Amino acid sequence: MDPVVALAAGLPVLLPTDTVYGLMSAPGEEAARTLYDLKGRERAQPTAILAATIDALLEAVPELGGAQL
């Protein structure tokens, strides 16, 4: 399945980076829960966020709006 189609459908996809493959989803609370469940990760444990731009990051995590990025 095309990764863009999978993300639009709310499914997780593998993302190759320079060093490792990452498991990713489109932003959203339900998608984040799915990723945490797939990884067996506790909800309180932090996770990495990868965004194409600062604007995309701030849209996904508006609480960072006042931070120095």
Side-chain angles (χ1 to χ4, degrees):
M1 176 181 286
D2 180 293
V4 174
V5 173
L7 289 171
L11 300 172
V13 298
L14 287 175
L15 173 71
T17 69
D18 290 343
T19 55
V20 297
Y21 280 85
L23 185 59
M24 65 171 277
S25 70
E29 192 170 332
E30 186 175 334
R33 278 196 206 107
T34 299
L35 287 181
Y36 270 71
D37 290 344
L38 287 170
K39 291 181 170 190
R41 187 178 280 234
E42 297 292 327
R43 297 287 194 265
Q45 185 176 358
T47 194
I49 297 175
L50 180 64
T53 66
I54 294 291
D55 289 338
L57 176 65
L58 293 175
E59 184 178 330
V61 188
E63 299 88 350
L64 294 176
Q68 292 274 353
L69 301 176

